[in-house]
Amino acid sequence: MSDFDYMRRQLLIAGGLTLGACLVPGMAIASPFKATNPRKISLCNIHTGEDIDSEFFNGESYIKTELKRIDNICRDFRRNEVAKMDKRLFDAITEIQANLGHKGQVRIISGYRSPATNKMLQKKGGVATKSYHMKGQAIDFNLEGVSLSKVRKAAIDLQLGGVGYYPKSDFVHIDTGPVRRW
């Protein structure tokens, strides 16, 4: 076996082990954003009036109890249903805040949305049939004291997923679906 073949085999094995480790339930997975820095977020749900301050990533792994608190504040308030939110949304928001020098509250307009709520909102218009909100993969928010256009630009710069701009409703939508914007 040549040196090239040996190295190629070792890289394939290492890649397979890494992928396999990511599939083990309950295993801590590092964040793609500044993996060595703890991340804190201050959230307010504008509909329920609830707010929390949370350190959801300690610099090495996500803190499950804090993610559950965040899931709760992002719940479908109309039906009081909680779903597991995609933690990459909160990584993205903290990255947006860091890029903008923002230290204030993140105001949640919509996090998780149950299928029943989504259907009801569809009848009113302007809500996607297969919304990422129903998967816990989308959040509509604004940042206290920051222009919405700056939040939108910072979100687009991340290239994480979808970015929607709703200045009349005073929020930016981000999701962890394909990269796109509207």
Side-chain angles (χ1 to χ4, degrees), residues 53-170:
D53 293 319
S54 174
E55 181 177 308
F56 65 96
F57 183 78
N58 66 13
E60 294 179 10
S61 61
Y62 292 97
I63 303 168
K64 289 181 183 181
T65 55
E66 291 302 305
L67 291 174
K68 285 183 179 183
R69 288 179 66 218
I70 292 171
D71 291 345
N72 188 62
I73 201 167
C74 291
R75 73 187 177 276
D76 180 341
F77 70 93
R78 291 173 181 92
R79 301 181 61 83
N80 202 31
E81 288 182 27
V82 178
K84 186 175 182 178
M85 297 293 291
D86 188 333
K87 56 189 163 260
R88 293 177 296 168
L89 295 168
F90 306 106
D91 289 334
I93 291 172
T94 58
E95 190 73 9
I96 290 166
Q97 287 184 288
N99 292 342
L100 296 173
H102 180 261
K103 299 201 185 297
Q105 267 194 334
V106 177
R107 297 187 301 203
I108 301 166
I109 285 75
S110 181
Y112 171 69
R113 193 182 299 148
S114 69
T117 294
N118 201 69
K119 191 172 188 174
M120 180 268 297
L121 292 174
Q122 276 180 302
K123 290 178 183 175
K124 294 181 179 182
V127 174
T129 305
K130 296 181 180 180
S131 171
Y132 282 95
H133 286 278
M134 294 189 299
K135 299 176 183 181
Q137 290 182 266
I139 190 164
D140 301 336
F141 72 101
N142 63 42
L143 299 179
E144 174 181 59
V146 179
S147 77
L148 214 53
S149 60
K150 287 182 180 179
V151 175
R152 175 183 181 246
K153 182 182 179 334
I156 289 170
D157 289 347
L158 287 181
Q159 294 291 301
L160 173 70
V163 177
Y165 183 56
Y166 299 90
K168 289 181 182 175
S169 301
D170 195 31

Side-chain angles (χ1 to χ4, degrees), residues 24-35:
V24 174
M27 184 169 188
I29 299 172
S31 164
F33 298 102
K34 295 183 184 175

